[in-house]
Amino acid sequence: MNPVQAAVTWLNDPLNWTNPGGVLDRLGEHLSMSALAVLLGCLVAWPVGLWLGHSGRGGGLVLLVSNVTLAIPTLALLTILPLTFLGFGRASVVVALAVFAVPPLLANAYTGVRQADAEARDAARGMGLSGGQVLRRVELPLAVPYLAAGFRTASVQVVATAALASFVNGGGLGQIIRAGFGLDIAAGGGQIIAGGLLVAGLAMLVEAVLAVVERMVTPRPLRRVRRRANRRAEAATAGG
Amino acid sequence: MFLHLSYRAAPGNPWFSWQYVRDNSDTILAALREHTWLTARAVVIAALVALPLAVAAYWFRSLAASILALTGVLYTIPSLALFAFLAPYLGIGAATVLTVVALYALLVIVRNTLAGLNQVPPEVREAAEGMGYGRWGRLFRIELPLALPGILTGVRLATVSTVALVTVGVVVGRGGLGQLIFAGFQNNFYKAQIMTGTVLCVLLALVLDLILAGVGRLLTPWLRGRIS
């Protein structure tokens, strides 16, 4: 039986889905872990990015953050954080994943505010709006498409990276692949491929769903501009 | 190559231990060498495949869309999943690691090269045509040199992310410094080992990036003095 057939057989066994530690359990872990990490990333990156963009400073900082994160191996962060005060378990995995969500969120929030029309900003000032009001009422709405694009990039990246949590027994769908590698490659080949299919399928599904969501929250006139900025942010944050 | 991952623990499990580094310099150097070698080979292979692909996409618009779409889809596939797809066929070892990391590097280089080529101003292209350059002459004499900054940015990004990505190769037993990090985790969370592996990874990425930046400066003398 070749590995692909073995994978289909593995996926067709209902017990592999419903057993404790089966696909359904792992899927739940994977999604909750990823959701928490993206949420945490948003809480940190969006306020900072918006403020930096508003004040017009920190372009270098944004670049630095994305470059440094690119160089840190996910595996290192996943193994280091449990040994700090965070301790073993969900918290450290979520924080590690959130670190990789920050660069696209930050870069897009920053660009989103920076690209806001200077004339609109001046007009708002002329109307007597304070700095905070300009940010809230003018720059923030104009930055929404960028925030959405960053959210999508970050989410997909986190869902993809969450597979690596299995290296520290952090749960998630990656655990199925790791367990397969734990067996002999001949015996576990089917399970390895099945796990890979599940992880890749989930990442693509999330990508597709969020692409639709992103389109819905982006007003039509802003659609083309957004795509260009997103590509730039993506280029700065490869890996996972 | 077999990595000896034994160690003599310093008391108290510190984050940094010079004693660990001294006692295990052989292992550490072997891991570093493997990491560098894997990264270098992956980036070179990726660049050799990516450049013709990008040129093809540049020449034929219809190809560009499908190449970019394909690279986009590949990019959403998590690295662990890609290892899972390839390992049963390529086996446990360097071939699998190399294929996976080269594939990701490929995407970055294609995307950046294409962007660089597309930035060549149409006037320049027309002038070259008027001077009687053919398609190939124009490519090698004018378009590729002008796209060099874009290509180099792509190669640098690809290199840095490849250094980080190689560590995931632990799953098939060839992770270079990742091997060190993971072994430290398994050896009762030996912090010095994990930290040494991590720091060396970041340093390696930094050094390779600097080298490539230097090469870039040498290759594009006309940009010198300008702030990039």
Side-chain angles (χ1 to χ4, degrees):
Chain A
M1 193 157 61
N2 73 42
V4 174
Q5 284 170 332
V8 172
T9 314
W10 193 92
L11 284 173
N12 269 326
D13 184 350
L15 282 183
N16 284 334
W17 289 72
T18 52
N19 268 347
V23 174
L24 294 179
D25 280 4
R26 297 303 184 203
L27 187 66
E29 286 169 0
H30 204 104
L31 287 177
S32 61
M33 222 157 43
S34 307
L36 277 176
V38 174
L39 189 71
L40 183 64
C42 289
L43 284 178
V44 176
W46 276 351
V48 176
L50 290 174
W51 182 251
L52 287 179
H54 175 70
S55 63
R57 274 169 297 163
L61 178 74
V62 174
L63 206 67
L64 185 78
V65 167
S66 39
N67 284 349
V68 170
T69 336
L70 198 62
I72 299 176
T74 319
L75 186 64
L77 216 51
L78 280 169
T79 46
I80 287 173
L81 285 178
L83 304 180
T84 61
F85 66 93
L86 285 169
F88 274 90
R90 206 38 74 77
S92 54
V93 174
V94 167
V95 171
L97 294 179
V99 170
F100 295 98
V102 163
L105 292 168
L106 187 69
N108 272 297
Y110 179 80
T111 335
V113 174
R114 289 310 308 153
Q115 56 74 47
D117 195 12
E119 282 168 25
R121 209 177 299 156
D122 289 344
R125 274 203 181 282
M127 285 166 67
L129 266 60
S130 70
Q133 281 172 323
V134 172
L135 177 60
R136 242 192 342 273
R137 299 214 202 136
V138 180
E139 290 169 333
L140 189 57
L142 283 172
V144 164
Y146 286 80
L147 294 179
F151 185 82
R152 170 181 161 199
T153 312
S155 304
V156 175
Q157 216 170 306
V158 165
V159 167
T161 315
L164 298 180
S166 56
F167 279 100
V168 293
N169 287 323
L173 286 172
Q175 209 86 26
I176 294 170
I177 303 177
R178 282 270 301 157
F181 273 112
L183 306 169
D184 193 352
I185 193 90
Q191 185 181 342
I192 294 172
I193 293 190
L197 283 174
L198 290 169
V199 172
L202 183 66
M204 286 194 213
L205 187 70
V206 169
E207 160 90 8
V209 169
L210 289 180
V212 173
V213 172
E214 187 194 333
R215 246 188 104 72
M216 283 183 345
V217 301
T218 306
R220 186 158 298 138
L222 292 174
R223 275 178 197 164
R224 190 165 297 162
V225 192
R226 182 212 57 73
R227 210 174 297 143
R228 216 180 311 137
N230 189 35
R231 210 177 304 137
R232 214 178 311 142
E234 259 175 33
T237 53
Chain B
M1 188 184 57
F2 182 74
L3 299 176
H4 295 274
L5 297 165
S6 62
Y7 65 93
R8 203 165 74 212
N13 197 7
W15 281 108
F16 295 96
S17 160
W18 191 240
Q19 193 202 340
Y20 162 76
V21 176
R22 233 177 324 156
D23 291 353
N24 299 278
S25 52
D26 287 349
T27 311
I28 296 170
L29 278 179
L32 183 63
R33 215 175 299 128
E34 184 180 70
H35 206 109
T36 316
W37 184 223
L38 278 170
T39 307
R41 272 192 298 176
V43 173
V44 168
I45 293 172
L48 287 180
V49 179
L51 284 176
L53 268 182
V55 169
Y58 174 62
W59 278 347
F60 311 107
R61 292 282 133 188
S62 51
L63 268 181
S66 41
I67 286 180
L68 282 181
L70 188 71
T71 53
V73 168
L74 258 172
Y75 218 75
T76 47
I77 296 180
S79 53
L80 191 58
L82 208 48
F83 273 107
F85 294 146
L86 294 175
Y89 296 100
L90 297 177
I92 299 286
T96 307
V97 184
L98 209 54
T99 314
V100 170
V101 293
L103 268 175
Y104 285 107
L106 185 74
L107 313 183
V108 182
I109 300 178
V110 167
R111 205 182 279 178
N112 276 279
T113 306
L114 196 57
L117 283 171
N118 280 331
Q119 269 166 13
V120 175
E123 304 93 73
V124 173
R125 216 172 303 151
E126 278 159 29
E129 240 168 87
M131 285 168 70
Y133 277 114
R135 179 174 256 189
W136 291 97
R138 209 172 68 204
L139 179 72
F140 284 111
R141 310 285 294 272
I142 289 144
E143 288 165 339
L144 278 181
L146 281 178
L148 252 183
I151 299 174
L152 282 166
T153 311
V155 174
R156 282 173 65 181
L157 271 174
T159 309
V160 174
S161 56
T162 300
V163 171
L165 200 54
V166 165
T167 56
V168 183
V170 174
V171 80
V172 292
R174 284 300 163 90
L177 293 164
Q179 213 79 356
L180 221 56
I181 296 171
F182 194 56
F185 190 75
Q186 287 184 319
N187 287 339
N188 286 320
F189 321 116
Y190 187 40
K191 290 175 181 167
Q193 195 168 16
I194 298 175
M195 223 41 200
T196 309
T198 309
V199 169
L200 283 177
C201 259
V202 176
L203 280 182
L204 180 64
L206 192 73
V207 168
L208 291 179
D209 195 46
L210 281 177
I211 292 176
L212 285 173
V215 170
R217 260 181 78 85
L218 287 178
L219 287 178
T220 54
W222 61 91
L223 289 180
R224 242 170 265 166
R226 244 190 267 172
I227 300 154
S228 55

